[in-house]
């Protein structure tokens, strides 16, 4: 069997599972979760005021310097631009150095608004973990990538990150309308072909940002598609995949529970509208307005069942869905496996207009 089954579309989501019996399922369900310290697993420490200290040492990548801009051999250049001074948010813009053109015009490139992973509580746009795939999306897809440095929980509980995503769309609109707007966008971007992309919890932010964006006047910026790479969602009733993979090496059950607790408003449970797409809310009413959606998932991901639930939810609202679920893999496997990343790039090339 190949590692990448034939892509499934329009709700045919390859939902096959390994055969099991009620007794076997019960035995798996009753397995005790080993003593896992979720704070240690997430590499954070809780402070008395409710904030956290982030202990992980992450390699940071600065934007391209003025001196580097002119160096030969660069395929992508970057710059950091303020988004909302009051919120201390900003965006990192990725631009390919080789842009197609004819005798008279330079090609207009699609825009990808990107949201990084990090459990809602970690990382920034300059972390190497997300900087490298953003650079490849930019160079391989020939797109302008705008990575949003949103506010982190628990200091800024959800929906703060979603609101920062909406700010990014309003900022894009302003750049399109302002004769003195951001030059890279004015010179090279096609504002009528804008996509939202995120991975893991970044995909969660991408989804809710899209729900906010379709309810706003963003002309001339047009949202053409939403790309959710292994999105993270929650619920109070554990799914089969969450029970099966509760001892997962990447996101075990205690870590998931802590992520949800730190991200959501005080007193909320896992069915809160900010993390459970099935919960009726103001967000819910905009589902039917969404453009095309691409969803990527892997069999070994504890969140797999919730990703499939989202596919069914979107289809019920007549949203065009392309779903790719692979039998082999685990959460964020494509960040460490170049073959899986290349496969994702292939899906993106097919999806982008």
């Amino acid at each position: 069997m190949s590692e990448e089954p034939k892509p499934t579309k329009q709700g045919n989501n390859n939902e096959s599972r390994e055969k099991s019996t009620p007794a076997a399922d019960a035995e798996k369900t009753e397995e005790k979760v080993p003593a896992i310290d979720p704070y240690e697993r997430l590499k954070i420490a809780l402070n008395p005021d409710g904030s956290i200290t982030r202990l992980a040492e992450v390699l940071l990548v600065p934007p391209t310097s003025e001196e580097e801009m002119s160096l030969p051999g660069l395929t992508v250049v970057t710059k950091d631009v303020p988004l909302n001074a009051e919120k201390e948010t900003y965006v990192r813009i990725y631009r390919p150095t080789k842009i197609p053109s004819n005798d008279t015009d330079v090609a207009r490139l699609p825009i990808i608004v990107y949201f990084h992973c990090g459990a809602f509580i970690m990382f920034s746009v300059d972390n190497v973990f997300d900087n490298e795939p953003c650079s490849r999306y930019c160079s391989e897809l020939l797109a302008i990538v705008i990575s949003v440095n949103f506010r982190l929980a628990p200091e800024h509980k959800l929906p703060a990150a979603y609101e920062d995503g909406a700010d990014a769309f309003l900022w894009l609109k302003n750049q399109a309308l302002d004769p003195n707007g951001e030059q890279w966008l004015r010179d090279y971007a096609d504002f009528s072909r804008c996509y939202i992309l995120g991975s893991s919890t970044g995909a969660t932010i991408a989804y809710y940002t899209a729900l906010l964006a379709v309810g706003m006047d963003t002309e001339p910026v047009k949202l053409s598609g939403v790309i959710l790479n292994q999105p993270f969602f929650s619920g109070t009733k554990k799914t089969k995949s969450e029970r099966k993979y509760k001892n997962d090496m990447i996101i075990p059950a205690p870590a998931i529970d802590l992520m949800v607790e730190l991200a959501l408003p005080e007193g909320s449970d896992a069915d809160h509208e900010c993390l459970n797409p099935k919960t009726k809310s103001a967000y819910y009413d905009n589902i039917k307005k969404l453009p095309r959606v691409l969803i990527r998932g892997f069999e070994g991901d504890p969140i797999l069942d919730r990703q499939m639930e989202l596919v069914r939810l979107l289809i019920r609202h007549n949203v065009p869905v392309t779903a790719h679920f692979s039998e082999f893999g685990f959460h964020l496997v494509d960040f460490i496996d170049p073959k899986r990343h290349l496969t994702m790039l292939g899906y993106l090339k097919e999806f982008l207009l």
Side-chain angles (χ1 to χ4, degrees), residues 130-150:
D130 286 274
N131 188 79
E132 290 185 358
C134 280
S135 295
R136 288 194 289 270
Y137 295 146
C138 177
S139 61
E140 295 292 330
L141 302 174
L142 287 180
I144 300 290
V145 177
I146 299 174
S147 185
V148 181
N149 200 65
F150 51 85

Side-chain angles (χ1 to χ4, degrees), residues 37-206:
D37 182 345
Y39 290 93
E40 181 179 349
R41 180 60 60 92
L42 294 173
K43 293 182 172 56
I44 60 174
L46 185 64
N47 300 321
D49 63 358
S51 65
I52 60 172
T53 299
R54 296 159 178 88
L55 304 173
E57 296 183 2
V58 181
L59 179 63
L60 302 181
V61 180
T64 309
S65 66
E66 289 294 332
E67 294 76 14
E68 292 171 324
M69 288 282 185
S70 58
L71 292 177
L74 283 182
T75 58
V76 173
V77 290
T78 63
K79 68 165 70 172
D80 292 346
V81 178
L83 176 59
N84 186 310
E86 183 177 336
K87 298 176 182 177
E88 299 183 340
T89 55
Y90 67 95
V91 298
R92 173 162 292 185
I93 306 176
Y94 297 74
R95 175 179 67 80
T97 55
K98 296 182 180 179
I99 298 177
S101 63
N102 55 33
D103 292 338
T104 58
D105 296 306
V106 173
R108 289 287 173 172
L109 306 181
I111 299 170
I112 297 176
V113 179
Y114 180 81
F115 296 93
H116 66 76
C117 59
F120 302 110
I121 61 175
M122 296 180 290
F123 303 153
S124 55
V125 298
D126 54 358
N127 83 87
V128 69
F129 196 54
D130 286 274
N131 188 79
E132 290 185 358
C134 280
S135 295
R136 288 194 289 270
Y137 295 146
C138 177
S139 61
E140 295 292 330
L141 302 174
L142 287 180
I144 300 290
V145 177
I146 299 174
S147 185
V148 181
N149 200 65
F150 51 85
R151 290 169 294 170
L152 299 177
E155 294 83 0
H156 304 281
K157 298 281 192 176
L158 295 178
Y162 307 159
E163 294 166 353
D164 296 342
D167 283 350
F169 265 80
L170 294 176
W171 175 83
L172 267 177
K173 174 181 178 177
N174 290 336
Q175 305 315 304
L177 297 176
D178 184 356
N180 298 313
E182 170 55 45
Q183 185 176 358
W184 285 5
L185 299 180
R186 298 283 303 171
D187 290 348
Y188 305 114
D190 183 350
F191 291 99
S192 69
R193 290 190 296 155
C194 186
Y195 297 83
I196 300 179
L197 166 61
S199 297
S200 186
T201 50
T204 317
I205 299 170

Side-chain angles (χ1 to χ4, degrees), residues 232-240 242-243 256-257 260 264 267-273 275-279 306 309:
F232 176 92
F233 299 109
S234 69
T236 53
K237 184 178 180 180
K238 297 299 183 182
T239 66
K240 182 177 178 180
E242 287 172 333
R243 295 193 303 271
I256 290 176
D257 292 342
V260 171
L264 290 176
S268 303
D269 63 27
D271 281 326
H272 191 277
E273 64 185 60
L275 278 183
N276 188 337
K278 297 192 297 183
T279 299
R306 299 203 183 275
E309 285 177 354

